[in-house]
Amino acid sequence: MNIERLSKMTTEGRNPNTMNIDSVSTLEMVRIINEEDKKVAEAVGNVKEDIAKGIDIIAERLLKGGRLIYMGAGTSGRLGILDASECPPTYGVDFELVQGLIAGGHTAIFKAVEGAEDDKELGKNDLKAKNLTENDVVCGIAASGRTPYVIGGMEYAKEIGAAVLCVTMNDESEMAKIAHCPISVVVGPEVVMGSTRMKSGTAQKLVLNMLSTGAMIKLGKVYGNLMVDVQPSNEKLRVRAKRIVMLATDIDENKAEEILKETDYNVKLAIFMLESGLNKEKANKILNENKGYIAKALEQIK
């Protein structure tokens, strides 16, 4: 990429509001950064229709047995891995359901791997190694919208019929032209020119939160606003599981603990048993028939 092309990118612009950030007080520095950060949520809100479309695509493919695979380089790749890694404990899904790929592999999570992001073939091969299918969703992430590693993966995904999304911070990017559902969040120039781990990274985190959370809600992983498929793998989460059951069913702590022990801390099953009055075996059968949707299962028994 030449200098002229780079200079036309919004994410590579020089922010007129931060020109003197190196000569102000520490408090003023923080104020300037905070003012710029305030613009991020608004920019994300400007593309809410695209995000909603992305959620629907992901949920549809996951219900068909597909997976969501994020792809990125540097900060973008790390954010995809972060979002993917938090889905299993929060929503009780398999670790294979949501995955994150980063240019350069595991080493690149902690330290930049020179040249990896410039290799289109590497992106394609990383998806081949995942045995990508037409039921899967590939979501490319890059502030610039032109990372070759991600583009190589997106092009391959599109060839085999997988759904292709992208999250970028520049309008009309190369990635946006490939994606079935482009999500372009224009947050403007960074506080420090080109430091896209800042506003761009924050915007990416917000969008990924929405994509995975929205998809999990549509998969019945949330009842009301309670994470009913939480995996209580530590003391904090066991306490949270107990509180979720108490809030959902209006019972006391002793009763919540009793039913959770009966269900081996299966929060969703415990709630449905209490709400339906059914025994463990019957409740589990009806929940499975309704693919884990508590609300739908309750409708069935009515």
Side-chain angles (χ1 to χ4, degrees), residues 61 67-71 101 120-121 123-128 130-140 149-166 178-180:
R61 295 299 175 110
R67 302 163 294 173
L68 169 60
I69 300 175
Y70 294 123
M71 293 190 76
L101 291 174
K120 285 181 70 174
E121 200 66 22
K124 178 179 179 178
N125 290 338
D126 279 356
L127 285 180
K128 280 187 173 181
K130 293 290 183 184
N131 297 313
L132 195 75
T133 75
E134 61 183 13
N135 287 332
D136 294 324
V137 180
V138 171
C139 180
Y149 169 81
V150 181
I151 289 173
M154 290 173 64
E155 288 177 341
Y156 172 70
K158 201 168 184 182
E159 282 174 20
I160 67 167
V164 181
L165 281 62
C166 72
I178 298 168
H180 297 114

Side-chain angles (χ1 to χ4, degrees), residues 123-297:
K124 178 179 179 178
N125 290 338
D126 279 356
L127 285 180
K128 280 187 173 181
K130 293 290 183 184
N131 297 313
L132 195 75
T133 75
E134 61 183 13
N135 287 332
D136 294 324
V137 180
V138 171
C139 180
I141 313 166
S144 66
R146 53 137 328 262
T147 305
Y149 169 81
V150 181
I151 289 173
M154 290 173 64
E155 288 177 341
Y156 172 70
K158 201 168 184 182
E159 282 174 20
I160 67 167
V164 181
L165 281 62
C166 72
V167 180
T168 70
M169 279 67 228
N170 282 292
D171 269 334
E172 300 180 359
S173 66
E174 293 173 55
M175 284 168 52
K177 292 172 185 174
I178 298 168
H180 297 114
C181 176
I183 301 169
S184 302
V185 187
V186 183
V187 295
E190 298 288 356
V191 169
V192 176
M193 192 182 81
S195 182
T196 51
R197 73 185 185 92
M198 300 186 77
K199 290 196 296 183
S200 294
T202 301
Q204 289 171 347
K205 182 67 168 70
L206 290 176
V207 173
L208 299 189
N209 282 349
M210 291 180 181
L211 291 176
S212 58
T213 302
M216 293 302 153
I217 290 170
K218 286 184 166 289
L219 292 180
K221 303 294 182 180
V222 175
Y223 179 52
N225 63 354
L226 303 173
M227 56 170 80
V228 291
D229 271 321
V230 62
Q231 297 298 293
S233 55
N234 58 45
E235 181 59 26
K236 181 190 78 174
L237 293 178
R238 282 189 287 274
V239 172
R240 179 178 292 165
K242 194 185 305 182
R243 185 163 180 263
I244 289 171
V245 173
M246 292 168 65
L247 289 169
T249 61
D250 197 26
I251 60 171
D252 63 30
E253 184 176 348
N254 290 334
K255 179 64 175 175
E257 187 168 1
E258 180 183 318
I259 191 93
L260 281 168
K261 284 180 178 178
E262 183 181 349
T263 62
D264 296 320
Y265 268 79
N266 184 323
V267 175
K268 178 180 283 181
L269 180 57
I271 291 171
F272 185 58
M273 285 173 64
L274 289 165
E275 293 285 85
S276 66
L278 298 172
N279 63 34
K280 181 178 174 181
E281 184 179 355
K282 183 66 173 176
N284 198 42
K285 180 177 181 293
I286 292 176
L287 264 181
N288 288 334
E289 288 172 358
N290 288 276
K291 297 182 179 180
Y293 288 80
I294 294 178
K296 289 182 180 179

Side-chain angles (χ1 to χ4, degrees), residues 11-32:
T11 50
E12 294 294 332
R14 195 170 184 190
N15 195 324
N17 301 321
T18 65
M19 299 286 277
N20 66 337
I21 199 167
D22 64 333
S23 59
V24 298
S25 69
T26 306
L27 180 59
E28 178 62 9
M29 188 187 303
V30 171
R31 187 198 67 77
I32 290 171

